[in-house]
Amino acid sequence: MATAGKVIKCKAAVAWEAGKPLSIEEVEVAPPQAMEVRVKILFTSLCHTDVYFWEAKGQTPVFPRIFGHEAGGIIESVGEGVTDVAPGDHVLPVFTGECKECAHCKSAESNMCDLLRINTDRGVMIADGKSRFSINGKPIYHFVGTSTFSEYTVMHVGCVAKINPQAPLDKVCVLSCGYSTGLGASINVAKPPKGSTVAVFGLGAVGLAAAEGARIAGASRIIGVDLNPSRFEEARKFGCTEFVNPKDHNKPVQEVLAEMTNGGVDRSVECTGNINAMIQAFECVHDGWGVAVLVGVPHKDAEFKTHPMNFLNERTLKGTFFGNYKPRTDLPNVVELYMKKELEVEKFITHSVPFAEINKAFDLMAKGEGIRCIIRMEN
Amino acid sequence: MATAGKVIKCKAAVAWEAGKPLSIEEVEVAPPQAMEVRVKILFTSLCHTDVYFWEAKGQTPVFPRIFGHEAGGIIESVGEGVTDVAPGDHVLPVFTGECKECAHCKSAESNMCDLLRINTDRGVMIADGKSRFSINGKPIYHFVGTSTFSEYTVMHVGCVAKINPQAPLDKVCVLSCGISTGLGASINVAKPPKGSTVAVFGLGAVGLAAAEGARIAGASRIIGVDLNPSRFEEARKFGCTEFVNPKDHNKPVQEVLAEMTNGGVDRSVECTGNINAMIQAFECVHDGWGVAVLVGVPHKDAEFKTHPMNFLNERTLKGTFFGNYKPRTDLPNVVELYMKKELEVEKFITHSVPFAEINKAFDLMAKGEGIRCIIRMEN
């Protein structure tokens, strides 16, 4: 391409300060170095994680910064040593990567790459500790190695999943974070047998994706648990068959669920990050074969507590990161699930705005409206 | 047989009072009723569980009682409705049963039969709520449905495993409790891959069996953890390759193990029942793929506590009861493992006494000498 090896000037939505509206600026994007790729972003979407680190209440504040980690794009150029992708390839950037060489990448089970695992504090590239974004020669920091709120971004090749070029990027861009996290929590980790009963705690984007995963796996009952009953009707579209609001019951919710299911659910997936919900999600599974999966990220001071006999009575507790999907190896298969119409992503996309109106996406999320808002670069 | 359908008079070791020496008495053993079998016991062994309930410190005292739940014997007669076993069959009595009809028995994973699951307080048969043992017309109570400290005992057919009649009963009798519990915890639940690293907490009979299970599974490093270093040398015979005494280190033992193993062990099996050891056994496994299995039975007020991120970093915690073996379905296969010389049970048997000297077995256990003492009925 005409831009290969050169600095690109393009538009980016820059967060100059915590909690303040993003500002569309012209930034310079340096060319990719060894093991890096530069990607033209066509579509991106907003995730809670972007908002948390943008608000920076409790998180390490790194500003000015370009957020964004759910996106679909096209490889513009590649740096030295990159062999898996080439200019023109369609890719999904992922907030956590897969180097393919470390113990975690070589493990059949783990997706927590030693080199490229999510790092929310780092605002620079791994290779040289510098940012590839700048304005007037001053660095604008990266976010989780993706920074997709820019028309062009640079990332480590291990953080891009090459996907089917026929896949509509304005749909599948939502697969690179919350959606696959919930889906994989069900399909890869909880693994509900056909005909089983699954409880999903928390009916936000991740929980709805977990319900969708349980539906795809063939669960016969999917019980949605949430403190906000206005989420219940919408959740039916994602496979939930019945609902429990813990506030409607005097008994602990794990007892309520055990009574509803003749001893406990076969699988549960916890998607709120609330420590009490985590304990409830474990204690509501059936003895003998029940498996609970923790997905929601807890407060840093949280402590999981339960009676150890709950384990000795043959219950299993697991946790998952990004649904246990290996980014480069597995995410293309999730896209194929969509292409084969086994997976429906349209119902997750409730809004769409042009890049110039990106702050509207933040407003929608702050109001709890909708699930995912697509941001169209229109470049 | 000449005794079928009739009361048998035989010798039994009766515990009249908690913590007092057993007394060899002549007891009457009633014939088996529907779904029951009467078994001639040839060999039995002493397990810690017998001692705990004999001492009855904290346990519900049920006396007078006939203890014993590790044994090998021959079916003497069967009650109405029994079709799986017949007089002359060689069997191992098991403290927990398998009815084959309940949800747990039908589950591929559970061995916690709704009907026949271990019940330490019950001293009578399920069918009619009465004991089959008596002296001068007064009942002598059963123990976990097996009561093998008697020349003849009656149990539910679901609690007997029919085994290869070529198997030496004086060896395989130890398989019906602690050995299979530890063995199965490794082979069935932890499932260490070939070449993996396993930590075993607690090097008593169950822990040594867990180490043996890890050895059979092909683990390359088996790290024994115990506060009593005098157990270390003996544990080498069971597959342990190295040892850690937590008292030798200032750091928490899970950190010591993580340093020894480049991030954590692949599998751990906790066989002490101590709540701190349980937490350590979980926290010492590797992120991404580590699995910890709780085997040791905890104090009733124990509380398992850990940071939930330990789960979200893709560690799994499981618990097991009787190594997840289904008594009637699986225990015969464990016997076959012995017959094929894949499993060595001789090294678990450190002493042997005649039935008349059964109290010597209690003395040996109280002194912490040896692992299993075989009690020969010589009848």
Coordinates of all heavy atoms in Angstrom, one line a residue, chain B residues 45-113:
Chain B
S45 N -9.7 -54.8 57.1 CA -8.6 -54.0 57.6 C -9.1 -52.8 58.3 O -10.3 -52.5 58.2 CB -7.7 -53.6 56.4 OG -8.4 -53.0 55.4
L46 N -8.3 -52.1 59.0 CA -8.7 -51.0 59.8 C -8.4 -49.7 59.1 O -7.3 -49.5 58.5 CB -8.0 -51.0 61.2 CG -8.3 -49.9 62.2 CD1 -9.8 -50.0 62.6 CD2 -7.4 -50.0 63.4
C47 N -9.3 -48.7 59.1 CA -9.2 -47.4 58.5 C -9.4 -46.4 59.5 O -10.1 -46.6 60.5 CB -10.2 -47.4 57.4 SG -10.4 -45.7 56.6
H48 N -8.8 -45.2 59.3 CA -9.0 -44.1 60.3 C -10.5 -43.8 60.6 O -10.8 -43.4 61.7 CB -8.4 -42.8 59.7 CG -6.9 -42.7 59.9 ND1 -6.0 -43.0 58.9 CD2 -6.2 -42.4 61.0 CE1 -4.8 -42.8 59.4 NE2 -4.9 -42.5 60.7
T49 N -11.3 -44.0 59.6 CA -12.7 -43.7 59.8 C -13.3 -44.6 60.8 O -14.1 -44.1 61.7 CB -13.5 -43.8 58.4 OG1 -12.8 -43.0 57.5 CG2 -14.9 -43.4 58.6
D50 N -12.9 -45.8 60.9 CA -13.4 -46.7 61.9 C -13.0 -46.2 63.3 O -13.8 -46.1 64.2 CB -12.8 -48.1 61.8 CG -13.1 -48.8 60.5 OD1 -14.4 -49.0 60.3 OD2 -12.2 -49.2 59.7
V51 N -11.8 -45.7 63.3 CA -11.2 -45.2 64.6 C -12.0 -43.9 65.1 O -12.4 -43.8 66.2 CB -9.7 -44.9 64.5 CG1 -9.2 -44.3 65.8 CG2 -9.0 -46.2 64.2
Y52 N -12.2 -43.0 64.1 CA -12.9 -41.8 64.5 C -14.3 -42.1 65.1 O -14.7 -41.5 66.1 CB -13.1 -40.9 63.3 CG -11.8 -40.3 62.7 CD1 -11.7 -40.1 61.3 CD2 -10.8 -39.9 63.5 CE1 -10.5 -39.5 60.8 CE2 -9.6 -39.4 63.0 CZ -9.5 -39.2 61.7 OH -8.3 -38.7 61.1
F53 N -15.0 -43.0 64.5 CA -16.4 -43.2 64.9 C -16.4 -44.1 66.2 O -17.3 -44.1 67.0 CB -17.3 -43.7 63.8 CG -17.6 -42.6 62.9 CD1 -16.8 -42.3 61.8 CD2 -18.8 -41.9 63.1 CE1 -17.1 -41.3 60.9 CE2 -19.1 -40.8 62.3 CZ -18.3 -40.5 61.2
W54 N -15.3 -44.9 66.3 CA -15.1 -45.7 67.5 C -14.8 -44.8 68.7 O -15.3 -44.9 69.8 CB -14.0 -46.7 67.3 CG -13.5 -47.4 68.5 CD1 -14.1 -48.4 69.3 CD2 -12.2 -47.2 69.1 NE1 -13.3 -48.8 70.3 CE2 -12.1 -48.1 70.2 CE3 -11.1 -46.4 68.8 CZ2 -10.9 -48.2 71.0 CZ3 -9.9 -46.5 69.5 CH2 -9.9 -47.4 70.6
E55 N -13.9 -43.8 68.5 CA -13.6 -42.8 69.6 C -14.8 -41.9 69.8 O -15.0 -41.5 71.0 CB -12.4 -42.0 69.1 CG -11.1 -42.7 69.1 CD -10.0 -41.8 68.5 OE1 -10.3 -40.8 67.7 OE2 -8.8 -42.0 68.9
A56 N -15.6 -41.6 68.8 CA -16.8 -40.8 68.9 C -16.5 -39.5 69.6 O -17.3 -39.0 70.5 CB -17.9 -41.6 69.6
K57 N -15.4 -38.8 69.3 CA -15.2 -37.5 69.8 C -15.8 -36.5 68.8 O -15.3 -36.3 67.7 CB -13.7 -37.2 69.9 CG -12.9 -38.1 70.8 CD -11.4 -37.9 70.6 CE -10.6 -38.7 71.5 NZ -9.1 -38.7 71.1
G58 N -17.0 -36.0 69.1 CA -17.6 -35.1 68.1 C -18.6 -35.8 67.2 O -19.5 -35.2 66.7
Q59 N -18.3 -37.1 66.9 CA -19.2 -37.9 66.1 C -20.4 -38.4 66.9 O -20.3 -38.5 68.1 CB -18.6 -39.1 65.4 CG -17.5 -38.7 64.4 CD -16.2 -38.3 65.0 OE1 -16.0 -38.4 66.2 NE2 -15.2 -38.0 64.1
T60 N -21.5 -38.6 66.3 CA -22.7 -39.2 67.0 C -22.3 -40.5 67.5 O -22.0 -41.4 66.7 CB -23.9 -39.3 66.0 OG1 -24.1 -38.0 65.4 CG2 -25.1 -39.7 66.8
P61 N -22.4 -40.8 68.8 CA -22.1 -42.1 69.4 C -23.2 -43.1 69.2 O -24.3 -42.9 69.6 CB -21.8 -41.8 70.9 CG -22.7 -40.6 71.2 CD -22.8 -39.8 69.9
V62 N -22.9 -44.1 68.4 CA -23.9 -45.2 68.2 C -23.2 -46.5 68.7 O -22.3 -47.0 68.1 CB -24.2 -45.3 66.7 CG1 -25.2 -46.4 66.4 CG2 -24.7 -44.0 66.1
F63 N -23.7 -47.0 69.8 CA -23.2 -48.2 70.5 C -24.3 -49.0 71.1 O -25.3 -48.5 71.4 CB -22.2 -47.8 71.6 CG -20.9 -47.1 71.0 CD1 -20.9 -45.7 70.9 CD2 -19.9 -47.8 70.5 CE1 -19.8 -45.1 70.4 CE2 -18.7 -47.2 70.0 CZ -18.7 -45.8 69.9
P64 N -24.1 -50.3 71.2 CA -22.9 -51.1 70.8 C -22.9 -51.2 69.3 O -24.0 -51.2 68.6 CB -23.1 -52.4 71.5 CG -24.6 -52.5 71.7 CD -25.1 -51.1 71.9
R65 N -21.7 -51.4 68.7 CA -21.6 -51.3 67.2 C -20.6 -52.3 66.7 O -19.6 -52.5 67.4 CB -21.3 -49.9 66.8 CG -21.5 -49.5 65.4 CD -21.4 -48.0 65.2 NE -22.2 -47.6 64.1 CZ -22.3 -46.4 63.6 NH1 -21.6 -45.4 64.2 NH2 -23.1 -46.1 62.6
I66 N -20.8 -52.7 65.5 CA -19.7 -53.5 64.8 C -19.2 -52.6 63.7 O -19.9 -52.3 62.7 CB -20.3 -54.8 64.3 CG1 -20.8 -55.7 65.4 CG2 -19.3 -55.5 63.4 CD1 -21.6 -56.9 65.0
F67 N -17.9 -52.2 63.8 CA -17.3 -51.4 62.8 C -16.7 -52.2 61.7 O -17.0 -53.4 61.6 CB -16.2 -50.5 63.5 CG -16.7 -49.5 64.4 CD1 -16.8 -49.7 65.8 CD2 -17.2 -48.3 63.9 CE1 -17.4 -48.7 66.6 CE2 -17.7 -47.3 64.7 CZ -17.8 -47.5 66.1
G68 N -15.9 -51.5 60.9 CA -15.3 -52.2 59.8 C -15.9 -51.9 58.4 O -17.1 -52.1 58.3
H69 N -15.1 -51.4 57.5 CA -15.7 -51.2 56.1 C -14.7 -51.4 55.0 O -14.9 -51.1 53.9 CB -16.2 -49.7 56.1 CG -15.1 -48.7 56.3 ND1 -14.7 -48.3 57.5 CD2 -14.4 -48.0 55.4 CE1 -13.7 -47.4 57.4 NE2 -13.6 -47.2 56.1
E70 N -13.5 -52.0 55.3 CA -12.6 -52.4 54.3 C -12.5 -53.9 54.5 O -12.1 -54.4 55.5 CB -11.2 -51.8 54.5 CG -11.1 -50.3 54.1 CD -9.7 -49.8 54.2 OE1 -8.8 -50.5 54.5 OE2 -9.5 -48.6 53.8
A71 N -12.9 -54.7 53.4 CA -12.9 -56.1 53.6 C -13.0 -56.8 52.3 O -13.3 -56.2 51.3 CB -14.1 -56.5 54.5
G72 N -12.7 -58.1 52.4 CA -12.9 -59.0 51.2 C -13.7 -60.2 51.7 O -13.4 -60.7 52.8
G73 N -14.7 -60.7 51.0 CA -15.5 -61.8 51.5 C -16.1 -62.6 50.3 O -15.9 -62.4 49.2
I74 N -17.0 -63.5 50.8 CA -17.7 -64.4 49.8 C -19.2 -64.3 50.1 O -19.6 -64.4 51.3 CB -17.2 -65.8 49.9 CG1 -15.7 -65.9 49.6 CG2 -17.9 -66.7 48.9 CD1 -15.1 -67.3 49.7
I75 N -20.0 -64.2 49.1 CA -21.5 -64.2 49.3 C -21.9 -65.5 49.9 O -21.6 -66.6 49.3 CB -22.2 -63.9 48.0 CG1 -21.8 -62.6 47.4 CG2 -23.7 -64.0 48.2 CD1 -22.5 -61.4 48.1
E76 N -22.6 -65.5 51.1 CA -23.1 -66.7 51.7 C -24.5 -67.0 51.2 O -24.9 -68.1 51.0 CB -23.0 -66.6 53.2 CG -23.7 -67.7 54.0 CD -25.1 -67.4 54.3 OE1 -25.5 -66.3 54.4 OE2 -25.9 -68.4 54.5
S77 N -25.3 -65.9 51.2 CA -26.7 -66.1 50.7 C -27.2 -64.7 50.3 O -26.7 -63.7 50.7 CB -27.6 -66.7 51.8 OG -27.6 -65.8 52.9
V78 N -28.3 -64.7 49.5 CA -28.9 -63.5 49.0 C -30.3 -63.4 49.3 O -31.0 -64.4 49.4 CB -28.6 -63.3 47.5 CG1 -27.2 -63.4 47.1 CG2 -29.4 -64.3 46.7
G79 N -30.8 -62.2 49.5 CA -32.3 -62.0 49.8 C -33.0 -61.9 48.5 O -32.5 -61.8 47.4
E80 N -34.3 -61.7 48.7 CA -35.3 -61.6 47.5 C -34.9 -60.4 46.6 O -34.5 -59.3 47.1 CB -36.7 -61.4 48.1 CG -37.8 -61.2 47.1 CD -39.1 -60.9 47.9 OE1 -39.2 -61.2 49.1 OE2 -39.9 -60.2 47.2
G81 N -35.0 -60.6 45.3 CA -34.7 -59.5 44.4 C -33.3 -59.3 44.0 O -33.0 -58.5 43.1
V82 N -32.4 -60.1 44.6 CA -31.0 -59.9 44.3 C -30.6 -60.8 43.1 O -30.8 -62.0 43.1 CB -30.1 -60.3 45.5 CG1 -28.6 -60.3 45.0 CG2 -30.3 -59.4 46.6
T83 N -30.1 -60.1 42.0 CA -29.8 -60.8 40.8 C -28.4 -60.7 40.4 O -27.9 -61.5 39.6 CB -30.7 -60.3 39.6 OG1 -30.5 -58.9 39.5 CG2 -32.2 -60.6 39.9
D84 N -27.7 -59.7 40.8 CA -26.3 -59.4 40.4 C -25.3 -60.3 41.0 O -24.2 -60.5 40.4 CB -25.9 -58.0 40.7 CG -26.8 -56.9 40.1 OD1 -28.0 -57.0 40.4 OD2 -26.3 -56.1 39.4
V85 N -25.5 -60.8 42.2 CA -24.5 -61.6 42.9 C -25.2 -62.9 43.4 O -26.5 -62.9 43.6 CB -23.8 -60.9 44.0 CG1 -23.0 -59.8 43.5 CG2 -24.8 -60.4 45.1
A86 N -24.5 -63.9 43.5 CA -25.0 -65.2 44.0 C -24.0 -65.8 45.0 O -22.9 -65.4 45.1 CB -25.1 -66.1 42.8
P87 N -24.5 -66.8 45.8 CA -23.7 -67.4 46.8 C -22.4 -67.9 46.1 O -22.4 -68.5 45.0 CB -24.5 -68.6 47.3 CG -25.9 -68.1 47.2 CD -25.9 -67.3 45.9
G88 N -21.3 -67.7 46.8 CA -20.0 -68.1 46.3 C -19.2 -67.0 45.6 O -18.0 -67.1 45.4
D89 N -19.9 -66.0 45.2 CA -19.2 -64.8 44.5 C -18.3 -64.2 45.5 O -18.6 -64.0 46.7 CB -20.2 -63.8 44.0 CG -20.9 -64.2 42.7 OD1 -20.5 -65.2 42.1 OD2 -21.9 -63.6 42.4
H90 N -17.1 -63.7 44.9 CA -16.2 -63.0 45.7 C -16.5 -61.5 45.6 O -16.8 -61.0 44.5 CB -14.7 -63.2 45.2 CG -14.2 -64.5 45.6 ND1 -12.9 -64.8 45.8 CD2 -14.8 -65.7 45.8 CE1 -12.7 -66.1 46.1 NE2 -13.9 -66.7 46.1
V91 N -16.6 -60.8 46.8 CA -17.0 -59.4 46.8 C -16.2 -58.6 47.7 O -15.5 -59.1 48.7 CB -18.5 -59.3 47.2 CG1 -19.4 -60.0 46.2 CG2 -18.7 -59.8 48.6
L92 N -16.2 -57.3 47.4 CA -15.7 -56.3 48.4 C -16.8 -55.4 48.9 O -17.6 -54.9 48.0 CB -14.7 -55.3 47.7 CG -13.4 -55.9 47.0 CD1 -12.5 -54.8 46.5 CD2 -12.6 -56.8 48.0
P93 N -17.1 -55.4 50.2 CA -18.1 -54.5 50.7 C -17.6 -53.0 50.6 O -16.4 -52.8 50.7 CB -18.2 -54.9 52.2 CG -17.5 -56.2 52.3 CD -16.5 -56.2 51.2
V94 N -18.5 -52.1 50.3 CA -18.1 -50.7 50.2 C -19.0 -49.9 51.1 O -20.2 -50.1 51.1 CB -18.2 -50.2 48.7 CG1 -17.6 -48.8 48.6 CG2 -17.5 -51.2 47.8
F95 N -18.4 -48.9 51.7 CA -19.1 -48.0 52.7 C -20.2 -47.1 52.0 O -20.9 -46.4 52.7 CB -18.1 -47.2 53.5 CG -17.4 -46.2 52.6 CD1 -17.8 -44.9 52.5 CD2 -16.3 -46.6 51.9 CE1 -17.2 -44.0 51.7 CE2 -15.6 -45.7 51.1 CZ -16.0 -44.4 51.0
T96 N -20.1 -47.0 50.7 CA -21.1 -46.2 50.0 C -21.6 -47.1 48.8 O -20.8 -47.8 48.3 CB -20.5 -44.9 49.5 OG1 -21.5 -44.0 49.1 CG2 -19.5 -45.0 48.4
G97 N -22.8 -46.9 48.4 CA -23.3 -47.9 47.4 C -23.7 -47.3 46.1 O -23.5 -46.1 45.8
E98 N -24.3 -48.1 45.3 CA -24.7 -47.8 43.9 C -26.0 -48.5 43.6 O -25.9 -49.7 43.3 CB -23.5 -48.2 42.9 CG -23.8 -47.8 41.5 CD -22.7 -48.3 40.5 OE1 -21.7 -48.8 41.0 OE2 -22.9 -48.1 39.3
C99 N -27.1 -47.8 43.7 CA -28.4 -48.5 43.4 C -28.6 -48.6 41.9 O -29.4 -49.5 41.5 CB -29.5 -47.7 44.1 SG -30.0 -46.2 43.2
K100 N -28.0 -47.8 41.1 CA -28.0 -47.9 39.6 C -29.3 -47.3 39.1 O -29.5 -47.2 37.9 CB -27.9 -49.3 39.1 CG -26.5 -49.9 39.4 CD -26.2 -51.0 38.5 CE -24.9 -51.7 38.9 NZ -24.3 -52.7 38.0
E101 N -30.2 -46.7 40.0 CA -31.5 -46.2 39.5 C -31.7 -44.7 39.8 O -32.5 -44.1 39.1 CB -32.6 -47.0 40.1 CG -32.7 -48.4 39.6 CD -33.7 -49.3 40.3 OE1 -34.4 -48.7 41.2 OE2 -33.7 -50.5 40.1
C102 N -30.9 -44.2 40.7 CA -31.2 -42.7 41.0 C -30.4 -41.8 40.1 O -29.6 -42.3 39.2 CB -30.7 -42.5 42.5 SG -29.0 -42.5 42.7
A103 N -30.7 -40.5 40.2 CA -30.0 -39.6 39.3 C -28.5 -39.6 39.4 O -27.8 -39.5 38.4 CB -30.5 -38.1 39.6
H104 N -28.0 -39.8 40.6 CA -26.5 -39.8 40.8 C -26.0 -41.1 40.1 O -24.9 -41.0 39.5 CB -26.2 -39.8 42.3 CG -26.3 -38.4 42.9 ND1 -25.3 -37.5 42.9 CD2 -27.4 -37.8 43.5 CE1 -25.7 -36.4 43.5 NE2 -27.0 -36.6 43.9
C105 N -26.6 -42.2 40.3 CA -26.1 -43.5 39.7 C -26.1 -43.4 38.2 O -25.3 -43.9 37.5 CB -26.8 -44.7 40.2 SG -26.4 -45.0 41.9
K106 N -27.2 -42.7 37.7 CA -27.3 -42.6 36.2 C -26.4 -41.6 35.6 O -26.2 -41.6 34.4 CB -28.8 -42.3 35.9 CG -29.7 -43.5 36.1 CD -31.2 -43.2 35.8 CE -32.0 -44.5 35.9 NZ -33.4 -44.2 35.8
S107 N -26.0 -40.6 36.5 CA -25.1 -39.6 36.0 C -23.7 -40.2 35.6 O -23.3 -41.2 36.3 CB -24.9 -38.6 37.1 OG -23.6 -37.9 36.9
A108 N -23.1 -39.7 34.6 CA -21.8 -40.3 34.2 C -20.7 -39.9 35.2 O -19.7 -40.5 35.2 CB -21.4 -39.7 32.8
E109 N -21.0 -38.8 36.0 CA -20.0 -38.3 36.8 C -20.0 -38.6 38.3 O -19.0 -38.7 39.0 CB -20.0 -36.8 36.7 CG -19.6 -36.3 35.3 CD -20.3 -35.0 34.9 OE1 -21.5 -35.1 34.5 OE2 -19.7 -34.0 35.1
S110 N -21.2 -38.7 38.8 CA -21.4 -38.8 40.3 C -21.4 -40.3 40.8 O -21.8 -41.2 40.1 CB -22.7 -38.1 40.7 OG -22.9 -38.3 42.1
N111 N -20.9 -40.4 42.0 CA -21.0 -41.7 42.7 C -21.7 -41.6 44.0 O -21.6 -42.4 44.9 CB -19.6 -42.3 42.9 CG -18.7 -41.4 43.8 OD1 -19.1 -40.3 44.1 ND2 -17.6 -41.9 44.2
M112 N -22.5 -40.5 44.1 CA -23.1 -40.2 45.4 C -24.6 -40.7 45.4 O -25.5 -39.8 45.5 CB -22.9 -38.8 45.8 CG -21.5 -38.4 45.8 SD -21.2 -36.8 46.7 CE -22.3 -35.8 45.8
C113 N -24.8 -42.0 45.4 CA -26.1 -42.6 45.3 C -27.1 -42.0 46.3 O -26.8 -41.8 47.5 CB -26.0 -44.1 45.5 SG -27.5 -45.0 45.6

